[in-house]
Each structure stands twice: as C-alpha cells, then as structure tokens.
Amino acid sequence: MRTEYGNFIDGEWVDSTTGETFPSANPADRNEVVGTFARSGPADVDQAVQAALRAYPDWMLTPVPQRSDYLLRVALILEGRKDEFAEVMTREMGKTLNESRADVQEGIDFAHYMSGEGRRFFGDTIPAELPNKVQMTMRHPIGVVGLITPWNFPIAIPLWKIAPALISGCTAVFKPAEDTPLCAALLTDVFNEVGLPPGVLNLVNGTGEGAGSALVDHPDVRAISFTGSLDVGRAINEKCARAMKRCSLELGSKNALIVMPDAQLGLAVEASAWGAFATSGQRCTATSRLIVHEDVREPFTEQLLDRVGKMKVGNGLDPDVELAPVINEKQKNRVMEYISLGQQEGATIIAGGDELTGDEHANGYFIAPTVFDEMTPTMRIAREEIFGPVTGVMRVGSIDEAIEAANGTEYGLSCSIYSHDITNIFKCAQQLEFGLVYANAPTIGAEIQVPFGGMKSTGNGHREAGPQALDEFTEWKTVAIDFSGKLQRAQMR
Ligand code: NAD
C-alpha cells in the first residue's frame, strides 16, 4: 500500500510547494511510521481552492441524482475494503479494530444515506397570494467550502462533511487532522477511483496553523465546516464572522450519564464503561461524568470498578483489548495533568490513574482506565473536556439535582438517563441542554440518519448528519414565477 502522499489537487496527487513533510506514527508503537505526508502552506491551499473554483460551475449544474451516483459508488467500494481500511485506522489512530470497523461502517452508511438524499433534495411549493403566480424554494450550493476534521473518527467525520457538501453542489478543499492523514488519503483515493471530476474534492495535508488557517482565511472559500476543539473553533468562528463566511462548528463536550434508583443497574454500568472508555474516551460524546443518585451510588460504583478492572489495555489490533492508546504524547500528557488536577481538587481516584509503561506498553501512549469518586460540579475535571480514559462519579439526591448538575457546564452534546420512570425521562427530554438526549442508552453511538450536534459552546447551532446536514452547505432560494401577463403588486390591497 502506498504510504507517501502529497496533496490531491485538480484530480492528481502533487507534491507540496513547501517541499516539507511530516510522519504519521502508530500511537500503540511510536516506532512504527505508517506514512509520510506533505506539510503544506498557504500556496498549496490556494492551488486547491483555485481547482475547486474551476470545478464549481459544472458541478453545481450537474443534476443532483448524478452527484448521488458518485457517492453510491464510494459507499460500495468502502464496503469491499472495510477490513483493510479498519486495519489502517487502528495502526494510525489507535482505536480497537472493532471500533475502526464501526468508524468505516458509519462512513459507508452515511455515504449511502446522502446518496439517497440526492434523489430527494426537496424544496417546497408555497401558495401565492396573487393569481397566476407560483412560488417555490430550492437549495443553492454555497460554493467552495473548506472541511477541517479531527483525528478521532478519521473516515466517518470526513464523510459527514464531504458527502453533504458534494451532494449540495459545493466543491471542497479537505484539510484532515495531522494525526490521521493516511486514512484521509485512502478515502480521497476512493473518490478518485469513482471518477469524480477533477477539482470537485481536493485534499491539502498539513498542520492547523500552516494549512488549516490558510483555508479559513482564503477569500474564495465561502464556508468552513469544522470539527475539533473549542479553542480552535472559537478562533475560526471569529475569522469567519469578520469575513461574512458560513461557519459550522462541532466542538468539545462534557457529557453525562444520570443513574436513578430505579435504573437497571447492570445496564447502566455497562453503558457507563462503554461510554467512558470506548475510543479511550476520545469521543466528543464520551461519558465523562456519571451523575448517580445516592441511593444506588455504592452498588453502582462497586459494579463499575469490577467491570473496569477487567479491561485489557493494549494495542487495538489485539482482539482482547478493550482500551487502546490515546492519540499522541501531547494528549497523554494533557490527560495525566487532568488526573493530577482532579486529585488536587479533592476528588478520589478509585480506579486507574496511571500511565502504563511496562514492556507491552513501552512504546505507546497508554493510560489505565481511570475513575474518580467524589467529583463535584465546580471542579475543573467536572467542567472541562479531558478527552481521555477518565470519568468521575458525582452524587445527587433527586432528578432535579441531576439535571442541574448535568447542565452545569458550558458544553451540551450528549446526555443519558438510566431510569424507567417516565417522569424522570420526560423531565430530561424537556430540560437537558444537550443536542442528544438518550434514555436507557449510552451517550455514544449516534446514528447517521438523525441530526447530530450540541448546544451551548459545543457548536454554533448547526447540525451534521440527518437531512439537516444539507443546511450546512446550501442556501435557501425562493423562486416566484408570475404567469398573469401583467404587473401584479403584492400587499397593495
Ligand atoms: P483540534 O481543534 O486540535 O484540531 C482539529 C482540526 O483543526 C485539525 O485538522 C487541525 O489541524 C485543525 N486546526 C488546528 N488549528 C487550526 C487553526 N488555527 N486553523 C484552522 N484549522 C486548525 O482538535 P483535535 O484534537 O483534532 O480533536 C479533538 C477535539 O475535537 C475535541 O475537543 C473533541 O471533542 C472535538 N470533536 C468534536 C466532535 C463533535 O462532533 N462535536 C467530534 C469529534 C471531535
């Protein structure tokens, strides 16, 4: 398999103008370099944007069902190569093989789904108040769009952006995360393989500062779709606001799982372990707070520790491993800092808390699954996103207290309640300030046909996935046709 990639511009892989490269390494074994990639600068971004601009007029006039056909073929190729892509993902990003397969599957599902949306792409017809006049709405593509993605879902998240952008008639420049450029290159190759016209999808590799920032600043880029951290998202939002660009942000979160006394405890424990430690806690929907009613806190904590104690930590290619490494050294250090901060703030570690450095773990970024007890809502570990295998138990005495605690952060992506009391469940549905609310299901594992996104600082009101994904990349245009043969004046009565 090819492992050296430049940038994909105007239908060809080309070297970057900087001549610089960077390696992508395996988080489970830093000595294994999975590939070498262009470290691009503003001139490369400009080339990609110019190619996208050239491709735009034809692409926006291509009938939407024809745009769908390309996506359908992408989905079919990915289906055939699912295992191969999943293995590359585990080697490049670390997550377990089963989770990598699920990541590719999510991309396949979404490509199928969006391909179907291309056969719909509905507008409305709306009655006119004047005779012999019809009115309708239709979607109009925004133009050239910049797609900036994180590393934690290296196939699914890029497809969450590329698929609706292309169906909408936009042409795109994709800047993948610098930790997962091989997955991005393989995905781009698939779009090339299905014969997508040159310039419709371009890829520019590089860092956020070097390539991402130039994409945001480029005057011909009409919209930015960004998934990543709050700090970077805030900076992008400010720039886009000044330039009057569309900007959609999917940022961090501090998700919670509420356990009430009537919960099926074993199920709540399984969901907590899965939600907190899948992808080593590196999901924007990860369960990083466990808000547990005091009546069940003891048995819940006991069962959780028992479950967590059984987790094997190691290389994601090992089928017995449940907890894979975190993405890189910087992230490992950040997580370890939060673990010591939690202790300083007065929370107690009841599981894990250590970096694993024995023979089996010597060359990777492994952290034991960590559970805090006695976490309180004002602690930084209860309010800030850690993005690692760390969760904490907070105790509450009522559903109202639980909802108040859950809402007590600036984020609002995903929250679950475990209870069979319909009042508790509807109170949560009504009062939780989260874009995703689950009852008796974990905080992670959103399906692609429903809108996905968060409230408060998790985003800026846009939604990905579901039919709403098209709103990111289109403007609504109102078209009115008067066939009365005379000048008709609205409202002049
Ligand atoms: P990050 O913000 O560091 O980087 C994300 C992307 O932005 C990368 O491609 C990076 O190169 C680029 N970037 C960095 N600085 C930039 C700049 N100044 N201008 C333009 N682009 C820039 O985030 P990350 O570490 O890759 O991902 C983890 C974060 O992503 C977490 O906060 C997580 O919660 C969030 N996330 C959110 C969702 C969601 O849907 N809400 C999904 C996945 C991840």
Side-chain angles (χ1 to χ4, degrees):
M1 180 195 301
R2 185 173 161 197
T3 55
E4 285 185 22
Y5 282 92
N7 296 320
F8 187 72
I9 297 177
D10 219 0
E12 282 177 22
W13 287 101
V14 294
D15 291 338
S16 77
T17 57
T18 63
E20 294 172 24
T21 58
F22 68 94
S24 174
N26 181 344
D29 177 0
R30 72 194 92 192
N31 299 325
E32 185 195 346
V33 171
V34 300
T36 308
F37 303 88
R39 186 188 291 274
S40 312
D44 303 295
V45 170
D46 184 53
Q47 281 181 5
V49 173
Q50 297 309 329
L53 268 176
R54 285 192 298 276
Y56 178 67
D58 282 350
W59 186 246
M60 70 90 73
L61 292 177
T62 302
V64 194
Q66 286 185 29
R67 295 183 211 144
S68 287
D69 288 347
Y70 292 103
L71 260 189
L72 180 61
R73 277 180 274 142
V74 165
L76 295 174
I77 291 177
L78 285 174
E79 269 173 19
R81 296 176 65 187
K82 178 172 163 182
D83 287 338
E84 177 200 344
F85 273 46
E87 197 194 319
V88 168
M89 190 183 298
T90 294
R91 283 177 40 238
E92 183 170 49
M93 182 273 162
K95 65 171 103 175
T96 64
L97 204 48
N98 279 339
E99 288 190 53
S100 293
R101 287 170 53 81
D103 188 321
V104 182
Q105 188 60 51
E106 190 172 329
I108 294 167
D109 292 344
F110 194 60
H112 274 299
Y113 175 76
M114 265 298 139
S115 161
E117 280 298 313
R119 291 253 161 207
R120 295 157 43 92
F121 214 66
F122 295 144
D124 292 317
T125 54
I126 302 153
E129 66 176 49
L130 295 168
N132 297 321
K133 181 181 173 192
V134 289
Q135 304 188 111
M136 65 190 92
T137 55
M138 53 179 73
R139 291 183 182 274
H140 186 93
I142 288 203
V144 174
V145 296
L147 314 175
I148 304 178
T149 56
W151 42 264
N152 62 340
F153 280 83
I155 294 290
I157 291 181
L159 274 165
W160 275 33
K161 297 185 188 300
I162 295 169
L166 299 195
I167 285 296
S168 296
C170 296
T171 54
V173 178
F174 165 35
K175 206 303 278 174
E178 48 272 54
D179 284 295
T180 48
L182 184 56
C183 289
L186 294 183
L187 179 62
T188 303
D189 269 338
V190 174
F191 278 90
N192 194 18
E193 195 178 327
V194 300
L196 196 69
V200 171
L201 175 65
N202 306 275
L203 174 149
V204 177
N205 273 309
T207 62
E209 296 73 31
S213 181
L215 188 57
V216 174
D217 293 338
H218 199 293
D220 291 319
V221 172
R222 302 283 298 276
I224 293 290
S225 175
F226 172 81
T227 300
S229 60
L230 174 58
D231 286 348
V232 175
R234 200 192 300 276
I236 290 177
N237 204 20
E238 285 170 7
K239 284 185 180 182
C240 288
R242 269 198 304 276
M244 298 295 287
K245 279 183 197 189
R246 174 82 63 93
C247 171
S248 61
L249 305 169
E250 291 292 344
L251 309 175
S253 190
K254 193 72 189 171
N255 313 294
L257 185 147
I258 298 169
V259 186
M260 294 303 287
D262 66 314
Q264 207 176 321
L265 217 54
L267 203 60
V269 167
E270 264 311 310
S272 302
W274 172 235
F277 300 116
T279 327
S280 304
Q282 303 170 116
R283 290 197 192 199
C284 48
T285 50
T287 314
S288 53
R289 296 179 296 157
L290 301 166
I291 300 176
V292 184
H293 194 284
E294 56 203 8
D295 290 357
V296 282
R297 187 183 141 269
E298 239 180 79
F300 172 85
T301 314
E302 234 168 68
Q303 289 183 34
L304 180 66
L305 293 192
D306 186 45
R307 177 68 187 84
V308 169
K310 293 186 179 126
M311 285 184 172
K312 182 173 179 189
V313 184
N315 189 321
L317 292 175
D318 173 347
D320 295 330
V321 160
E322 279 190 88
L323 197 90
V326 297
I327 186 73
N328 56 32
E329 177 126 35
K330 190 169 153 217
Q331 189 62 15
K332 183 201 74 187
N333 292 339
R334 181 184 140 96
V335 174
M336 293 312 296
E337 276 164 29
Y338 270 108
I339 290 174
S340 48
L341 174 71
Q343 291 168 288
Q344 287 159 31
E345 288 183 305
T348 330
I349 289 184
I350 51 174
D354 315 305
E355 184 184 337
L356 301 178
T357 52
D359 284 353
E360 198 189 333
H361 299 115
N363 294 321
Y365 311 114
F366 296 99
I367 298 172
T370 299
V371 182
F372 278 109
D373 198 5
E374 307 296 350
M375 189 164 86
T376 59
T378 54
M379 291 178 181
R380 281 181 56 197
I381 57 159
R383 287 185 288 115
E384 297 176 15
E385 183 180 54
I386 299 174
F387 224 55
V390 181
T391 192
V393 178
M394 295 159 80
R395 60 170 97 184
V396 289
S398 67
I399 186 65
D400 295 323
E401 217 186 303
I403 291 173
E404 192 184 335
N407 285 341
T409 81
E410 69 173 311
Y411 296 110
L413 184 53
S414 183
C415 192
S416 297
I417 170 161
Y418 275 76
S419 169
H420 287 92
D421 179 326
I422 193 113
T423 307
N424 290 341
I425 291 173
F426 272 97
K427 273 191 167 188
C428 283
Q430 186 180 52
Q431 295 175 34
L432 285 173
E433 295 169 336
F434 289 80
L436 306 165
V437 173
Y438 295 98
N440 301 312
T443 61
I444 65 174
E447 297 187 21
I448 55 93
Q449 65 278 22
V450 287
F452 181 95
M455 295 188 187
K456 304 198 289 195
S457 297
T458 292
N460 59 348
H462 292 269
R463 291 292 181 266
E464 296 199 304
Q468 284 79 0
L470 297 172
D471 294 338
E472 260 189 282
F473 301 104
T474 51
E475 296 273 11
W476 279 113
K477 186 188 279 179
T478 303
V479 176
I481 297 158
D482 188 320
F483 55 98
S484 67
K486 57 188 179 194
L487 174 67
Q488 301 202 85
R489 297 179 174 88
Q491 288 95 35
M492 297 293 284
R493 313 194 274 275

